Amino acid sequence: MSVNFLEDQSKQCVHLDGTTLEGGGQLLRLALSISSLTCILIHVTNIRGNRAPMNAPDKGGGLKQSHLAGVEWLAKAVRAETVGMESKSRELVFRPLLNELGAENRETNEGEKLRNNGRGGEGEGLGSWKDVYEDSKLVRRETYIPMPTPGSIFLVLQAILPYILFSAPSPPALGASNHRLTPEKTQAFFAPVPLRITTQGGTNVTKSPSYEYVSQVLLPTLHQKIGLPPITMTLHRRGWTTGTTAIGRVSFDVIPLPPGSHLPTFELKDRGALKQIHVSIIGPDAASRAAVLNLAVSEILKRWPEVEISFPVDEESRHPKRLYLLLVAETSNHYRLGRDWLYDRKLRTPQDLADAPAILMERVVRELEDELRRGGCVDEYMEDQLVVFQALAQGRSWVDGGIGREA
């Protein structure tokens, strides 16, 4: 398919300028999610156009590895025709031809092997699903998304999660052998099959959601406040962009929504009082982590003397240049707002290393204080990730993002 194809499809194609609003990757991820679910042809130009340097507009921007991994997986999953699906491409045409997850897209040539408790190897069939059987019973479907660099695993998740949640295959027609099923057996017969998505890439990536943020803020909000099924996340190994580059690996266990179901409207309002702050630290050694924790606790209690403090993560980063802090504020109405920083300043001298804990702590505490002062129920990063679910909900949903950010 060539871009000239669009001339005959202009009335059916949605054209998007990638420099709109923030002009980053979020617009592309949102467009891919909606396109994959609705089979609407999209044509995105100037991809991540606002990420290019001002003095070199032709450099930077375009598809990074995390964007490309999401595009490639969705393209295979929905049998999309594409133009521009390559690294650094600044233009993408995406035309889905299939909108049911796994329909005509599961690799079944190893069915007998799977039924004998076998399983397909990872990396086989990007965008395809492997059926996993135990005692001749289908227990889940698995897919694998590899990245050769530590691109953000969680930006890939943003692109594909709406499709995975809302595209469970339609149930088979009831035949003579099952038309007399009891209500309990009927419910089991039509229940969506659990899915496992294993992704290789980065878990702690500069200017991207971290594993800690996703586990402590994003996933609880999607389940407890939006009403999506719970998602279980398993960290197999960390992937870093700071220090020595390392490729990580994470699995997500998801139960999609039943076929034909809709996400109810939701309202996120009435944040409630600050109740607890969760402090998560990853650093090279016990001394550096203790320095950050002690400074953070002192500053937190100065600002919020009555707040409870917990420490869900205190972990070694295995490299002197890997230092990360996440603060999550939890309220009496169970909202969670997070601010974090994967320290990305130069650490060349002993003095740089000595100064880093205070610099890290001061910035994250200040940003959390600013976030809480706005009065919203979600932080600014969480608000961006809720847009697609507001679009997919059945009716108008509303999120109190605080002063100047209500949507």
Side-chain angles (χ1 to χ4, degrees):
M1 183 176 69
S2 68
V3 176
N4 292 333
F5 168 85
L6 297 173
E7 296 178 1
D8 299 326
Q9 304 288 328
S10 58
K11 293 183 180 180
Q12 303 170 4
C13 178
V14 174
H15 296 264
L16 298 168
D17 184 343
T19 61
T20 302
L21 299 177
E22 181 188 9
Q26 186 69 10
L27 181 144
L28 176 67
R29 290 187 289 273
L30 178 60
L32 287 169
S33 296
I34 300 298
S35 173
S36 298
L37 286 168
T38 60
C39 282
I40 293 174
L41 168 66
I42 60 171
H43 181 200
V44 187
T45 56
N46 298 316
I47 293 173
R48 299 179 62 249
N50 290 353
R51 294 294 186 262
M54 293 293 292
N55 59 351
D58 294 331
K59 297 182 180 180
L63 292 175
K64 293 177 65 176
Q65 191 60 53
S66 59
H67 308 106
L68 185 59
V71 174
E72 289 177 338
W73 189 92
L74 283 170
K76 177 65 182 295
V78 299
R79 301 287 179 88
E81 296 177 332
T82 65
V83 175
M85 190 171 66
E86 57 190 37
S87 179
K88 299 182 181 180
S89 174
R90 299 172 67 90
E91 184 172 4
L92 177 70
V93 177
F94 189 86
R95 183 194 184 200
L97 301 177
L98 183 74
N99 65 356
E100 282 193 353
L101 184 150
E104 302 178 7
N105 204 30
R106 294 196 305 276
E107 299 196 7
T108 58
N109 56 341
E110 298 185 26
E112 190 62 33
K113 174 183 173 183
L114 294 170
R115 287 175 176 79
N116 291 323
N117 296 330
R119 54 189 290 182
E122 289 180 341
E124 296 180 16
L126 180 68
S128 296
W129 295 90
K130 293 287 187 181
D131 292 351
V132 178
Y133 288 82
E134 293 179 4
D135 298 327
S136 301
K137 179 182 179 182
L138 178 62
V139 294
R140 66 178 176 271
R141 293 184 177 128
E142 299 183 349
T143 190
Y144 180 63
I145 307 175
M147 280 191 284
T149 66
S152 174
I153 287 172
F154 307 109
L155 294 183
V156 177
L157 178 70
Q158 285 183 28
I160 70 174
L161 182 60
Y163 174 75
I164 287 172
L165 285 168
F166 288 91
S167 292
S170 300
L174 289 174
S177 62
N178 52 34
H179 74 283
R180 295 181 181 177
L181 293 175
T182 64
E184 293 79 9
K185 289 185 177 180
T186 299
Q187 183 177 8
F189 183 76
F190 291 119
V193 176
L195 306 173
R196 177 170 294 170
I197 304 97
T198 300
T199 308
Q200 175 179 292
T203 60
N204 296 82
V205 177
T206 304
K207 298 180 180 178
S208 298
S210 69
Y211 177 87
E212 284 64 42
Y213 179 88
V214 172
S215 63
Q216 296 183 41
V217 181
L218 174 63
L219 296 186
T221 300
L222 294 182
H223 177 50
Q224 298 170 12
K225 297 300 183 180
I226 308 303
L228 294 175
I231 298 171
T232 301
M233 183 169 61
T234 303
L235 175 65
H236 302 289
R237 63 175 178 264
R238 291 190 180 275
W240 296 88
T241 54
T242 54
T244 303
T245 297
I247 306 295
R249 183 185 178 122
V250 176
S251 292
F252 305 91
D253 287 293
V254 182
I255 299 178
L257 295 169
S261 62
H262 299 278
L263 180 64
T265 56
F266 54 87
E267 289 190 349
L268 273 57
K269 59 183 181 179
D270 187 16
R271 185 177 77 187
L274 177 63
K275 178 181 178 182
Q276 192 170 16
I277 292 180
H278 307 278
V279 183
S280 296
I281 177 69
I282 306 175
D285 52 56
S288 62
R289 298 198 303 275
V292 175
L293 290 177
N294 291 337
L295 290 168
V297 169
S298 176
E299 289 301 314
I300 288 169
L301 292 177
K302 283 181 183 178
R303 290 164 169 80
W304 307 284
E306 304 299 323
V307 75
E308 299 176 20
I309 303 176
S310 71
F311 305 92
V313 178
D314 184 355
E315 183 180 319
E316 184 179 349
S317 65
R318 301 182 179 180
H319 195 285
K321 295 184 179 180
R322 294 174 183 161
L323 189 60
Y324 170 81
L325 176 66
L326 166 69
L327 301 181
V328 176
E330 184 174 0
T331 74
S332 56
N333 287 336
H334 307 293
Y335 287 102
R336 286 174 166 248
L337 299 86
R339 298 299 299 207
D340 65 349
W341 185 21
L342 175 59
Y343 196 85
D344 56 0
R345 295 186 182 178
K346 300 297 184 181
L347 294 171
R348 293 172 175 166
T349 67
Q351 189 61 48
D352 291 338
L353 294 170
D355 292 343
I359 296 172
L360 175 70
M361 176 281 305
E362 190 278 331
R363 170 170 160 174
V364 178
V365 171
R366 184 185 74 255
E367 290 184 353
L368 181 66
E369 183 178 32
D370 292 342
E371 193 69 67
L372 291 173
R373 189 180 294 117
R374 293 187 183 99
C377 294
V378 296
D379 59 64
E380 63 175 309
Y381 304 116
M382 186 71 235
E383 186 176 22
D384 285 346
Q385 295 175 70
L386 293 179
V387 171
V388 66
F389 298 107
Q390 290 180 265
L392 294 172
Q394 195 174 33
R396 181 177 176 81
S397 294
W398 187 76
V399 175
D400 181 358
I403 297 171
R405 292 209 314 253
E406 296 182 0

